[in-house]
Amino acid sequence: MKKSIYTLLVLLFVVSCQKTVDLDNDKEEFINDLISKMTLAEKAGQMNQYNGFWDATGPMPEGDYQKKRYNELKNGQVGSMLNVIGVDEIRALQKIAVEETRLGIPLIFGHDVIHGYKTIFPIPLAESSSWDLDLMEKSARVAATEASADGLNWTFAPMVDISRDARWGRVMEGAGEDPYLGSLVAKARVHGFQGDNLNDINTIVACAKHFAGYGFSEAGRDYNTTDFNQYTLHNTIMPPFKAAVDAGVRTFMNSFNTLDEIPATGHKHIQRDILKRDWSFDGFIVSDWGSIDQMIPHGFARDGKHAAELAVLAGSDMDMESSLYVSQLVGLVESGNIAEELLNDAVRRILRVKYELGLFEDPYKYCNKERSDSELASEENMSVALDAAKKSIVLLKNNNQLLPLQKEGEKIAIIGPLANDKNSPLGNWRSQAVYNSASSVVEGMKKYKGNRTVFEKGVDLYYGKTNFHNRVKINYDDKSDFGKAKFAAATSDIVVMVLGEEGNQSGEGRSRTNIGLPGLQLELLKEISKINNNIVLVVMSGRPLDLSWEDENIPAIVQAWHLGSKSGDAIAQVLYGDYNPSGKLTMSFPRNVGQVPVYYNFKNTGRPSTSIEQVTNSGYADVENSPLYSFGHGLSYTNFSYSNFSVDSDKLGFDSKINVSVKLENTGFYKGKEVVQLYIRDIVGSIARPMKELKGFKIVELAPGESEIINFEIDSSLLEFYTYNNKWEAEVGKFHVFIGGDSNVTEFKEFYLD
Ligand code: BGC
């Protein structure tokens, strides 16, 4: 019976595909037809998502919890599962959905494929520092290819939350602090995951998350309340989400935080009014893990029933792991609290995405063992990971031209607990990476045979084995290896110190109030610097760290993030100059944690401060307002000079364009790439405007002595923002335009929009 209905549906599908070329009509007709056959319980079931709860290829589940879920699965009360890994497991569960439930509707399988699946790429914050959108699209493409080869068809990425607070551990998962760049990155990543056609075998559904404001968690404490006004919402937080919609993203995830004092999951205005109505989004919204249930401790819902009601009314279509839709929705419709049409709308959205994936044609299309055996962590994929890792590295400081290292002659001591760590570089969302599978800095550097290197860890950063679910146990007392490291430093020409955060010290639930080098690492660094200060400090971290002491005392600093599978090779190639670093920060590095949140596109205030000495101005008594390393900062082994900055007219009309140009010249000795950045300041607005906003950039590669004229076109659309009129529009008036190699650029040209 069940099988025959499924066959009938497939037949209907095939026949309708043949009879007309209007695919959208066919899709909607097919879905409406299916919905008309569904019971209320089956509708609630489509809206229910469970985490993998039992080893589906093994024996039948035992235990009440598992048995209950198993029965729900067989009864068509589960629409999606997450964290089920591998073709066999996915096939086994899909078989139950397709062959044993009344209507045989296939499941959609989601997982956090954030920076790679088996081949691990740099964490997204690192990768955004490449500013290379093609590269970001490509790494998402590779991740999608691997995940889909292993049975998955949906990733909970990209995270497009704008973040300004380095205490928040999840900054590692986003593209930093800027909405313009964040929007372009969102588009690139969505397209990378979803490709041109979701029906293709190697594309997966992307998910823009976390909607909205999660990156503004107060005090950088994960899951915390947020407090921002509607202009910040529209001008800073929303643009990357809108860009994701424009790029065709098919799912959204809402967020754990409250905004306007309302939990995002129960926030009707952002989900129904902005996303679904104003932006015409017709995919579906999944809750974040348990976020429907969590409206109870938020103090917004009385109980589970109330929470389910509020979430559906607000437009949350799928319940991740609260079990509340499946347990409450039927009753809520029957009692008249929720209109059945709201369930139909949610189910329609979910079925639409399943249809687009081609799951109704072939529910097992991603379950191909041959593909999963051959397409994961291939050499080709690893070479993309190496390319991404090199391009993500940011050279923060290079006094005395300490870098690049000479390949022959110098004796180098490699010191630091992360130098030989093959696990940390895999980062926080490492999915199916094999434990300890990244290349280490020691391995990378040892490939340069002409060199004389010794390695001493100096100190342990942490104890035991680390993982996603537990806190990293930091070593605060054992200094027993300091001595050996000091000896190595004393007997070497150069010291490369690899210090920073363990891979699981940043990411979800990894907020920190002290964002300096953890454990005893700074103490080790200080001791070593007294013995031999020819130090190249390589910092691995998932967030901007407080590097003030380091900046003052260490001649060369390389920000190497958590770079993924090919971390050590990439770092070695940069240190030895086989790759000239070209990364630029997408998030400001504070001078100390007290400055946080610190970001380049701040407002001037009524009392701008230019020096610490000014008392009644908006500044601190102990540090300057500017960050230690600004947004857009990143050095190269060569030098770039900017000259002949000009604008072809100082008058811009609403229908015209002006051109700004600058001459960029490579005045150094290495071929190198520069990220040329265009900033604009809107001098007077109907609301106070940021001091600078990124409005364009170009990556330019030049040989020594070579120069190029770089042009940017400005039209009024570039000047639009969410104004006091609650409209997205440009306002007439005076503007300043800047072009430079980082957000500190001061030279500007003036123009007027009229
Ligand atoms: C995170 C999401 C993630 C989900 C599923 C949640 O805790 O906030 O970003 O996609 O878990 O793993």
Side-chain angles (χ1 to χ4, degrees), residues 82 112 156 170 209-210 214 253 256 288-289 320 429 508:
L82 77 152
D112 293 286
F156 306 124
R170 292 198 87 166
K209 71 185 187 185
H210 304 84
Y214 187 37
M253 183 185 291
F256 289 124
D288 203 347
W289 185 294
M320 181 191 284
W429 290 104
E508 186 174 351

Side-chain angles (χ1 to χ4, degrees), residues 532-693:
N532 180 350
N533 202 36
N534 276 335
I535 295 179
V536 174
L537 171 62
V538 176
V539 181
M540 286 185 184
S541 66
R543 72 181 91 217
L545 294 180
D546 168 354
L547 298 176
S548 288
W549 185 90
E550 294 80 342
D551 179 69
E552 221 169 280
N553 296 284
I554 303 299
I557 306 180
V558 175
Q559 177 62 31
W561 312 108
H562 293 132
L563 290 175
S565 303
K566 301 302 269 182
S567 171
D569 300 281
I571 293 168
Q573 287 187 29
V574 164
L575 295 183
Y576 284 112
D578 282 346
Y579 184 82
N580 187 356
S582 52
K584 301 265 190 181
L585 298 178
T586 57
M587 199 174 167
S588 308
F589 275 47
R591 293 181 189 275
N592 65 47
V593 76
Q595 247 191 345
V596 169
V598 59
Y599 47 95
Y600 86 95
N601 43 2
F602 59 92
K603 314 271 166 40
N604 203 26
T605 79
R607 294 188 173 203
S609 164
T610 48
S611 114
I612 291 180
E613 302 314 321
Q614 296 170 322
V615 175
T616 52
N617 291 55
S618 178
Y620 299 103
D622 46 5
V623 291
E624 286 172 35
N625 284 357
S626 62
L628 180 65
Y629 303 120
S630 305
F631 177 85
H633 170 76
L635 304 174
S636 163
Y637 294 150
T638 196
N639 295 313
F640 291 102
S641 85
Y642 287 76
S643 60
N644 301 358
F645 177 30
S646 70
V647 51
D648 66 353
S649 166
D650 64 356
K651 300 246 173 318
L652 175 66
F654 278 84
D655 298 318
S656 64
K657 292 183 164 107
I658 56 174
N659 186 71
V660 277
S661 65
V662 76
K663 182 177 167 195
L664 178 74
E665 187 174 356
N666 181 341
T667 54
F669 302 102
Y670 298 86
K671 187 175 171 184
K673 271 188 262 170
E674 169 76 333
V675 183
V676 180
Q677 300 157 42
L678 173 83
Y679 294 92
I680 293 182
R681 179 176 176 198
D682 184 352
I683 304 294
V684 177
S686 58
I687 55 172
R689 304 289 289 127
M691 287 296 282
K692 263 181 205 144
E693 291 178 287

Side-chain angles (χ1 to χ4, degrees), residues 88 141 176 251 333 401 428 431 466 589 635 754:
D88 294 338
R141 187 88 292 286
T251 69
V333 174
Q401 306 294 314
N428 182 257
S431 190
T466 66
F589 275 47
L635 304 174
D754 204 357

Side-chain angles (χ1 to χ4, degrees), residues 403-636:
L403 288 171
L405 301 173
Q406 289 167 23
K407 289 185 185 151
E408 311 242 337
E410 287 173 337
K411 184 167 178 210
I412 299 175
I414 311 171
I415 295 175
L418 292 173
N420 211 22
D421 191 324
K422 293 169 66 59
N423 205 41
S424 281
L426 296 171
N428 182 257
W429 290 104
R430 59 188 62 183
S431 190
Q432 299 312 298
V434 174
Y435 191 79
N436 268 342
S437 62
S439 63
S440 72
V441 176
V442 171
E443 285 169 339
M445 290 184 68
K446 288 245 152 96
K447 286 188 185 157
Y448 288 79
K449 298 258 186 293
N451 234 282
R452 295 180 295 143
T453 54
V454 292
F455 164 65
E456 284 299 341
K457 70 177 174 193
V459 72
D460 281 318
L461 170 56
Y462 56 94
Y463 296 118
K465 222 173 163 180
T466 66
N467 61 42
F468 186 82
H469 295 286
N470 296 303
R471 291 256 180 253
V472 178
K473 292 196 175 52
I474 299 294
N475 168 26
Y476 290 107
D477 39 40
D478 181 3
K479 300 186 204 167
S480 52
D481 287 318
F482 269 36
K484 285 188 245 166
K486 285 187 192 166
F487 179 77
T491 51
S492 297
D493 301 307
I494 305 267
V495 182
V496 171
M497 294 205 65
V498 189
L499 309 175
E501 290 185 311
E502 199 278 337
N504 281 303
Q505 278 192 278
S506 51
E508 186 174 351
R510 269 66 185 203
S511 302
R512 294 178 61 201
T513 60
N514 175 349
I515 52 172
L517 290 171
L520 298 166
Q521 296 180 101
L522 183 56
E523 200 177 323
L524 174 69
L525 180 62
K526 286 181 176 172
E527 299 267 310
I528 298 287
S529 74
K530 283 185 217 150
I531 295 165
N532 180 350
N533 202 36
N534 276 335
I535 295 179
V536 174
L537 171 62
V538 176
V539 181
M540 286 185 184
S541 66
R543 72 181 91 217
L545 294 180
D546 168 354
L547 298 176
S548 288
W549 185 90
E550 294 80 342
D551 179 69
E552 221 169 280
N553 296 284
I554 303 299
I557 306 180
V558 175
Q559 177 62 31
W561 312 108
H562 293 132
L563 290 175
S565 303
K566 301 302 269 182
S567 171
D569 300 281
I571 293 168
Q573 287 187 29
V574 164
L575 295 183
Y576 284 112
D578 282 346
Y579 184 82
N580 187 356
S582 52
K584 301 265 190 181
L585 298 178
T586 57
M587 199 174 167
S588 308
F589 275 47
R591 293 181 189 275
N592 65 47
V593 76
Q595 247 191 345
V596 169
V598 59
Y599 47 95
Y600 86 95
N601 43 2
F602 59 92
K603 314 271 166 40
N604 203 26
T605 79
R607 294 188 173 203
S609 164
T610 48
S611 114
I612 291 180
E613 302 314 321
Q614 296 170 322
V615 175
T616 52
N617 291 55
S618 178
Y620 299 103
D622 46 5
V623 291
E624 286 172 35
N625 284 357
S626 62
L628 180 65
Y629 303 120
S630 305
F631 177 85
H633 170 76
L635 304 174
S636 163

